[in-house]
Amino acid sequence: MDILKKIQDHREQEEELKWEGTFSEYLELLKERPYLAQSAHSRVYNMIKSAGVVEEHDHKRYKFFDEDIYGLDEAMEKLVEEYFHPAARRLDVRKRILLLMGPVSGGKSTLVNLLKRGMEQYTHTEEGAVFAIKGCPMHEDPLHLVPNHLRKDFEEEYGIRIEGSLSPLNTMRVETEYGGRIEDVLVERVFFSEDKRTGIGTFSPSDPKSQDIADLTGSIDFSTIAQYGSESDPRAYRFDGELNKANRGIMEFQEMLKCDEKFLWHLLSLTQEGNFKAGRFALISADELIVAHTNEAEYRSFIANKKNEALHSRMIVMPVPYNLKVSQEERIYEKMIRESDIKNVHIAPHTLRVAAMFTILTRLKESKKANVDVLKKMRLYDGEILEGFSDVDVEELKKEHADEGMSGIDPRYVINRISSTIIKKELTSINALDVLRSLKDGLGSHASISNEDKDRYLDFISLARKEYDEIAKKEVQKAFVYSYEESAVTLMDNYLDNVEAYCNKAKLRDPLTGEELNPDERLMRSIEEQIGVSENAKKAFREEILIRISAYARKGKKFDYQSHERLREAIQKKLFADLKDVVKITTSTKTPDEQQLKKINEVVATLVDEHGYTSSSANELLKYVGSLLNR
């Protein structure tokens, strides 16, 4: 009953939002809320902006895209700043078709669907409200009723510029239904809906021989010719083409460059002049954002044909590359799995991350910089801080190859391989090795991968495997250290006592004998070397620790094991290095003794409780790490 109540509430909200009145009453609304008269491009831009904008590192992140488009913040910023924003300000950009160009499964369709769904919701808000002449199949802007000779006066009074002419159908209706009194023409609020074909249109190419231009511009209703006596009578015409229905909103051209030429020529007039030809009528005004998408191969073929120059000059091409951030690629897979029937299968931690590493490596281009290999590049792009590199270096890397991210493995391939592994082997749990194995097996049957690329991709699978080996060792390391938490705290306290004595040029007192001792340099270095602190940098590192301890003391806080991330990592690594033999023995022996069994069970429990493993995947991880350590 809960869902039925929500359906009822939604219906009641829809009823509350409805509005109907005369044109004169609509003008009163405009005086209070002039933004109601915004153009289609302006409405789309304001919709995106209303979701929120975050400024970070001289870049803008538009939160509107956050939940569906991953890792393409810069591409989305360019799209908004170079197309939607200037188009909303009535600059010439709005007279261009927005063509999204990118590789397969790169997010083009997702982006267009996001805009369409967003517009459907936005027209239900106060700021995104759309009003149209009641009964008009094209949801025409009521301001088209204002005669041309009065439009300048209207702009001076209301501050709103009117563009476009009244459609042939509404011109006739004003005369026949309202006796020429435009102030009495009924106006209503409309809500965009792709399903109801209101404000959102979609055109998909099919066989040019069978597809009719009427799909775009509407057609004559032959059943009414006898009634109205002429094909040029607008009442005998069905204004039900996609261009008619998308008026005031968004018109999507799927795989636009696959369309027959005759369908594209209508766009020349629509983009440049804001009107198109239909039937035996004068040009029909339309205010709509035309967005199309295609892949790079088709786009290159299109621009190579001289016949397409006129249309090409009326396009703004926006590249939509693949995501190049591992963490964001992981989110793409998580989303695709949530939406699938394999969501109940246990996927061991780091499995999707390792798959994402492989995928990102296939999309990256080799850097010209001698000190940057693809692994470093992958880490830098994902926001990792690497010694010797700054944000400026990352920006320079991104500028090296304009087409980076336009090729490589697509997300669907990875999900297909994961699904294949689960279905074939009837698994209830998979790990990173299962997925890497499946990705490798699938390369031979991937039709679009050349032999040269296949060899490169096999190298990337090896690299991803090595990365996973390190991740697996760290994971077990953390679990073992967690079981030795007291030892870690003791080791840290001992280190801090020695650091304090070193920095203050003091001596330590032996708790048993009471004799004075010099700070234990060997102990301090054995810990610092775990995180790459050099001999020259040790003094600065120790002083920084002491400053941190003082800062905590001033605030009345205790400096503990969790207070310094790098030092905690060093302690864990040092402890794990000391425990490595214990790990080897407990994970590799076939008949562990009682003490070893207890330790294994503790580590498995930690992996399950703290790290998201199942007991089965935790035991597999332990066995694998044991084999790595025993090599």
Side-chain angles (χ1 to χ4, degrees):
M1 290 301 293
D2 215 16
I3 191 69
L4 293 176
K5 178 73 171 70
K6 287 179 180 176
I7 290 169
Q8 185 183 336
D9 291 345
H10 176 70
R11 190 165 56 243
E12 287 170 2
Q13 286 166 11
E14 289 263 297
E15 284 298 318
E16 284 174 20
L17 289 173
K18 284 182 180 176
W19 183 93
E20 187 179 307
T22 62
F23 181 59
S24 58
E25 289 170 329
Y26 172 65
L27 291 182
E28 289 302 314
L29 277 184
L30 277 188
K31 279 186 178 173
E32 297 169 28
R33 293 146 61 192
Y35 57 82
L36 294 176
Q38 63 190 322
S39 67
H41 290 84
S42 176
R43 194 172 287 109
V44 172
Y45 172 67
N46 287 326
M47 168 192 73
I48 293 168
K49 207 171 64 162
S50 68
V53 186
V54 178
E55 297 207 22
E56 42 194 29
H57 311 302
D58 297 325
H59 286 289
K60 288 181 180 175
R61 178 169 61 81
Y62 290 90
K63 292 167 80 173
F64 175 80
F65 305 104
D66 280 1
E67 294 305 310
D68 292 271
I69 307 289
Y70 303 124
L72 296 180
D73 291 347
E74 288 171 25
M76 293 305 101
E77 181 187 18
K78 186 178 179 184
L79 174 65
V80 175
E81 294 300 314
E82 294 187 17
Y83 184 78
F84 289 128
H85 191 182
R89 302 289 291 272
R90 295 180 186 267
L91 293 170
D92 219 44
V93 171
R94 73 195 170 108
K95 296 178 180 179
R96 306 285 181 273
I97 299 163
L98 173 61
L99 180 65
L100 305 174
M101 181 190 68
V104 293
S105 191
K108 303 183 297 296
S109 299
T110 303
L111 172 55
V112 178
N113 284 330
L114 185 59
L115 291 172
K116 292 195 291 189
R117 298 295 83 80
M119 283 300 279
E120 287 178 345
Q121 292 170 24
Y122 192 59
T123 56
H124 283 78
T125 66
E126 185 72 22
E127 299 77 20
V130 182
F131 292 83
I133 296 171
K134 189 177 182 187
C136 173
M138 286 182 59
H139 344 290
E140 188 165 9
D141 187 346
L143 294 183
H144 286 181
L145 291 162
V146 178
N148 284 324
H149 67 279
L150 294 176
R151 290 186 177 183
K152 196 170 181 183
D153 296 338
F154 180 88
E155 187 176 350
E156 286 174 8
E157 185 177 345
Y158 286 83
I160 298 167
R161 190 191 313 163
I162 302 171
E163 293 179 339
S165 305
L166 195 61
S167 67
L169 180 61
N170 285 323
T171 301
M172 178 175 277
R173 287 180 64 209
V174 169
E175 294 303 321
T176 56
E177 293 177 29
Y178 297 100
R181 292 177 57 81
I182 64 169
E183 61 270 32
D184 294 339
V185 173
L186 288 176
V187 174
E188 65 178 348
R189 183 172 178 180
V190 294
F191 305 101
F192 288 176
S193 166
E194 185 170 21
D195 294 339
K196 294 175 183 175
R197 300 187 75 215
T198 306
I200 296 173
T202 305
F203 184 80
S204 186
S206 61
D207 181 6
K209 291 174 185 172
S210 60
Q211 193 157 32
D212 191 349
I213 199 72
D215 294 346
L216 272 184
T217 59
S219 60
I220 297 163
D221 184 353
F222 289 102
S223 66
T224 61
I225 297 293
Q227 183 183 352
Y228 298 118
S230 169
E231 289 182 16
S232 59
D233 189 309
R235 291 169 298 180
Y237 197 85
R238 289 197 299 260
F239 294 89
D240 61 356
E242 295 303 320
L243 292 179
N244 307 105
K245 293 300 181 183
N247 187 33
R248 314 292 300 286
I250 296 174
M251 171 69 199
E252 177 193 6
F253 265 83
Q254 294 178 346
E255 299 299 337
M256 179 185 182
L257 303 184
K258 285 182 179 149
C259 288
D260 190 60
E261 289 175 359
K262 67 181 180 184
F263 293 97
L264 299 180
W265 298 138
H266 277 279
L267 303 181
L268 292 173
S269 173
L270 181 57
T271 52
Q272 194 62 38
E273 309 301 333
N275 52 44
F276 64 92
K277 191 84 173 86
R280 298 177 181 179
F281 307 118
L283 290 166
I284 296 173
S285 294
D287 170 31
E288 51 200 80
L289 161 66
I290 300 173
V291 57
H293 39 93
T294 190
N295 60 53
E296 194 170 4
E298 280 174 357
Y299 175 68
R300 299 291 168 214
S301 172
F302 174 78
I303 59 174
N305 187 344
K306 293 287 182 187
K307 284 165 62 180
N308 297 323
E309 281 183 358
L311 192 59
H312 183 231
S313 69
R314 287 173 172 81
M315 288 177 178
I316 294 281
V317 181
M318 282 289 165
V320 181
Y322 283 133
N323 156 59
L324 296 175
K325 295 178 180 177
V326 171
S327 54
Q328 297 299 312
E329 190 72 12
E330 206 178 344
R331 288 182 69 199
I332 294 172
Y333 302 155
E334 285 168 357
K335 181 191 173 193
M336 292 171 90
I337 287 167
R338 275 198 310 273
E339 294 168 352
S340 74
D341 290 337
I342 61 170
K343 61 186 174 189
N344 296 324
V345 172
H346 173 71
I347 297 174
H350 311 293
T351 299
L352 298 181
R353 182 166 188 82
V354 171
M357 285 177 181
F358 161 69
T359 314
I360 299 301
L361 287 170
T362 68
R363 299 171 185 172
L364 295 175
K365 304 264 185 186
E366 292 281 350
S367 173
K368 296 165 191 167
K369 295 177 185 287
N371 63 336
V372 180
D373 58 20
V374 280
L375 272 176
K376 268 187 189 170
K377 198 176 193 184
M378 178 188 80
R379 292 195 175 100
L380 288 166
Y381 276 15
D382 203 34
E384 281 189 46
I385 297 165
L386 299 184
E387 197 172 339
F389 293 94
S390 65
D391 290 343
V392 176
D393 296 312
V394 178
E395 290 300 320
E396 283 177 8
L397 284 173
K398 288 176 181 176
K399 288 172 185 170
E400 274 188 332
H401 303 281
D403 61 342
E404 191 167 53
M406 297 301 275
S407 61
I409 292 287
D410 65 281
R412 284 192 197 125
Y413 171 75
V414 176
I415 294 299
N416 290 347
R417 296 311 303 165
I418 291 174
S419 306
S420 171
T421 305
I422 291 165
I423 303 301
K424 277 183 186 173
K425 298 183 180 176
E426 297 182 353
L427 300 175
T428 55
S429 171
I430 59 167
N431 59 34
L433 295 176
D434 294 324
V435 172
L436 286 177
R437 210 173 291 119
S438 183
L439 289 170
K440 182 180 179 181
D441 293 344
L443 290 177
S445 57
H446 199 300
S448 62
I449 297 177
S450 65
N451 286 333
E452 186 186 343
D453 281 342
K454 186 182 172 185
D455 291 340
R456 283 177 52 243
Y457 292 174
L458 287 171
D459 289 341
F460 293 145
I461 284 175
S462 298
L463 280 176
R465 167 76 178 267
K466 285 176 186 170
E467 289 295 298
Y468 175 64
D469 289 352
E470 291 305 311
I471 290 169
K473 283 192 272 190
K474 278 184 184 173
E475 195 85 322
V476 172
Q477 167 189 313
K478 279 193 283 187
F480 261 88
V481 170
Y482 186 84
S483 304
Y484 285 92
E485 186 77 31
E486 284 181 26
S487 307
V489 171
T490 304
L491 182 60
M492 187 161 193
D493 287 342
N494 196 357
Y495 173 79
L496 293 176
D497 288 342
N498 279 278
V499 163
E500 195 171 355
Y502 170 85
C503 291
N504 293 329
K505 294 185 172 55
K507 290 187 181 288
L508 290 164
R509 191 172 293 280
D510 189 301
L512 293 175
T513 64
E515 72 174 299
E516 289 190 334
L517 303 169
N518 288 321
D520 189 342
E521 184 65 24
R522 198 167 162 187
L523 170 77
M524 289 186 286
R525 290 303 295 141
S526 71
I527 290 169
E528 291 156 359
E529 282 168 354
Q530 300 294 331
I531 51 170
V533 175
S534 66
E535 184 70 27
N536 292 334
K538 70 180 184 183
K539 186 171 185 287
F541 181 75
R542 293 169 189 177
E543 286 172 348
E544 191 259 318
I545 296 281
L546 207 60
I547 290 166
R548 182 80 66 92
I549 293 171
S550 303
Y552 268 69
R554 280 201 308 276
K555 293 173 184 173
K557 293 185 192 173
K558 186 178 184 307
F559 185 92
D560 62 21
Y561 181 58
Q562 305 292 332
S563 300
H564 195 288
E565 197 171 323
R566 285 191 75 210
L567 182 55
R568 185 175 75 234
E569 184 190 345
I571 295 289
Q572 286 178 347
K573 282 186 173 179
K574 165 66 177 161
L575 200 57
F576 190 64
D578 296 344
L579 292 170
K580 199 171 272 189
D581 289 338
V582 178
V583 178
K584 280 184 189 179
I585 294 164
T586 53
T587 55
S588 62
T589 184
K590 287 181 181 173
T591 52
D593 61 32
E594 192 178 333
Q595 192 62 33
Q596 289 166 350
L597 203 58
K598 184 185 173 193
K599 182 50 62 187
I600 289 174
N601 289 337
E602 279 179 15
V603 173
V604 167
T606 302
L607 288 168
V608 172
D609 297 340
E610 303 290 326
H611 300 281
Y613 288 83
T614 60
S615 58
S616 168
S617 60
N619 276 301
E620 280 180 9
L621 178 74
L622 277 173
K623 281 179 193 168
Y624 181 63
V625 170
S627 71
L628 288 176
L629 294 174
N630 280 302
R631 280 178 192 171

